[in-house]
Amino acid sequence: ADNQYEIGIHIADVSFFVRPGNMIDDEAYKRGTSVYLVDRTIPMLPEVLSNDLCSLNPHEDKLAMSAIFEMNDNGEVMSEWYGETIISSDRRFSYEEAWAVMSTGKGDFVQELQKANEISKVLRTQRFKNGALMIDQEEVKFKLDEKGVPIDIFIKIHTDANHMIEEYMLLANREVARFIFDAIKKSGPRDTGAIYRIHDVPDKDKIKNLATFVKALGYDLHTSKDGEVTAKGINALLEQVEGTPHESLVRTATIRSMQKAIYSTKNIGHFGLAFEFYTHFTSPIRRYPDLLVHRVLAKHLNNEPFGDRDIIKFQTIAESTTAREIDAADAERTSKKLKQVEYMSTRIGQTFKGVISGITKWGIYVEDTESKSEGMIPIRALGTDYYVFDEKTYSIVGERTGQKFTLGNEVTFKVMAADLDKKTLDYVLV
């Protein structure tokens, strides 16, 4: 039809190969997720699956779980279809290749890519209008030599191609969650075969602290008297800091004051995405909950009943995969920190530009602008003055000279020392 398009989101059908209770399934469940360290990946599933059988290579018949939507120019889903399919793709694009076609208007499937991009932008705009949080975190990437030593650190640039895929992944996750929820409603209260990705509203005390923190920096977070906040309020704050030296500080502080998203068999919606229903369906290769959602969806499509034991088991899986995800995120953060310290350890004596990212009684923390490597300058290294820490304004002031260091100040520093075991860096002001 005019202004109506079929958009298919096809995900490799891992559940065909990994059956409940087989050895690969047991191991995948224990791992819960793939872990992406800077210099290696610890996969959830064996490579023969992830790199071969479940890799949707072009011009090869592959098993998939498909979500196919009829959509119009306004991003509305007119109809939907889910099922186990066999697909053979015509063309595989890297993000860079797809972006090149979209931006120049030349190349394979140009009309399809540009239309898909247009609709994804409508979806994105709508999401923010509904109150989704505008938190795009900077992604630090490392270039390693053949020994795994970091030779360059840079911030990954996201283009429309990345955003487009993200929107359709969100769409599929959202619609599958809604479909499962509706299927349960139809089949009565006993049959609750579902696992959702939920995100609770922020904790009021944490929001009060955030409001105090940003006020000290000269920004405003609008909250109710008892510390309730809307997504619009948070977005307004993020807009205020955009392009200022405080941008990444306030962003990080905002993320820390949010609840963590978790897996659950009970749906309360997703605050950060402003979705009433959400689940993880699109990455069964690297996340166990997605694999479970594929199995759940297949059971609903085939009208197979769920037993009480299934439901208890799903809640256990939700709790354990949430815990595994937290462990993986910790490991990934630590891995980045270690590589940043390693990178700076070969640059001792060199001078860099940075931003004051933390102030404490014992010293100031500085984050290097390029590599985001954070180091500390102890109070005693600031000079002969006597420095006083002012908690209210997050600053340190020299009593005699009146010299003041505040969060977000831009400074020039030199790398003095690096401790790989403790993962710490010592800086000094220049």
Side-chain angles (χ1 to χ4, degrees), residues 237-253:
L237 168 69
L238 295 172
E239 274 169 20
Q240 287 170 55
V241 297
E242 206 171 306
T244 70
H246 299 125
E247 182 171 5
S248 81
L249 286 176
V250 172
R251 226 171 244 287
T252 307

Side-chain angles (χ1 to χ4, degrees), residues 253-265:
T254 305
I255 291 163
R256 285 190 185 143
S257 63
M258 295 292 124
Q259 303 275 27
K260 294 266 182 285
I262 61 168
Y263 297 107
S264 172
T265 53

Side-chain angles (χ1 to χ4, degrees), residues 93-116:
F93 287 92
S94 68
Y95 283 115
E96 292 75 20
E97 289 168 337
W99 170 235
V101 172
M102 279 151 60
S103 54
T104 61
K106 292 187 185 74
D108 296 348
F109 298 105
V110 60
Q111 276 169 308
E112 288 86 345
L113 279 170
Q114 287 185 334
K115 180 45 78 179

Side-chain angles (χ1 to χ4, degrees), residues 162-410:
N162 300 84
H163 291 313
M164 174 177 92
I165 296 301
E166 187 188 2
E167 285 310 319
Y168 288 119
M169 294 295 184
L170 291 174
L171 172 76
N173 288 339
R174 180 187 83 190
E175 293 300 322
V176 165
R178 185 192 302 276
F179 177 82
I180 289 172
F181 187 85
D182 288 345
I184 291 168
K185 224 166 42 189
K186 281 191 202 100
S187 58
R190 261 180 57 83
D191 181 2
T192 53
I195 179 166
Y196 300 99
R197 177 75 169 172
I198 60 171
H199 187 221
D200 208 347
V201 297
D203 175 76
K204 291 175 184 170
D205 291 339
K206 284 186 175 170
I207 288 298
K208 282 181 185 165
N209 292 343
L210 178 66
T212 311
F213 169 69
V214 299
K215 199 165 196 65
L217 298 176
Y219 304 101
D220 231 0
L221 174 61
H222 189 72
T223 62
S224 70
K225 280 201 176 59
D226 61 352
E228 278 186 11
V229 69
T230 62
K232 287 199 171 73
I234 293 167
N235 285 340
L237 168 69
L238 295 172
E239 274 169 20
Q240 287 170 55
V241 297
E242 206 171 306
T244 70
H246 299 125
E247 182 171 5
S248 81
L249 286 176
V250 172
R251 226 171 244 287
T252 307
T254 305
I255 291 163
R256 285 190 185 143
S257 63
M258 295 292 124
Q259 303 275 27
K260 294 266 182 285
I262 61 168
Y263 297 107
S264 172
T265 53
K266 294 180 183 51
N267 181 50
I268 60 162
H270 197 295
F271 175 78
L273 292 169
F275 285 163
E276 201 182 337
F277 302 98
Y278 193 61
T279 190
H280 274 168
F281 161 80
T282 51
S283 294
I285 285 277
R286 62 182 182 90
R287 291 189 301 226
Y288 194 81
D290 303 53
L291 175 57
L292 184 63
V293 167
H294 280 216
R295 290 174 183 161
V296 167
L297 178 62
K299 275 187 102 152
H300 282 300
L301 291 170
N302 300 328
N303 287 321
E304 290 172 28
F306 291 84
D308 288 344
R309 289 173 76 175
D310 286 332
I311 290 145
I312 295 163
K313 193 175 165 202
F314 289 170
Q315 191 48 40
T316 311
I317 292 174
E319 285 164 22
S320 95
T321 50
T322 298
R324 291 284 74 78
E325 179 189 31
I326 292 166
D327 292 345
D330 279 348
E332 286 165 21
R333 255 198 310 275
T334 307
S335 161
K336 281 183 180 159
K337 181 97 183 144
L338 182 65
K339 285 295 175 197
Q340 285 168 324
V341 173
E342 193 181 344
Y343 176 78
M344 281 304 196
S345 72
T346 61
R347 286 160 178 75
I348 285 169
Q350 292 183 24
T351 303
F352 297 90
K353 287 203 177 334
V355 168
I356 296 181
S357 53
I359 301 248
T360 59
K361 287 200 244 324
W362 54 86
I364 61 181
Y365 288 88
V366 174
E367 187 184 78
D368 171 41
T369 312
E370 298 277 302
S371 71
K372 303 289 169 192
S373 312
E374 192 177 58
M376 197 190 80
I377 303 168
I379 289 261
R380 61 171 190 280
L382 290 175
T384 53
D385 207 342
Y386 179 70
Y387 286 92
V388 182
F389 172 56
D390 181 351
E391 246 167 284
K392 284 198 177 64
T393 59
Y394 296 95
S395 53
I396 284 182
V397 184
E399 280 203 331
R400 202 178 65 248
T401 56
Q403 191 181 22
K404 189 176 178 186
F405 298 101
T406 311
L407 276 180
N409 279 8
E410 291 173 356

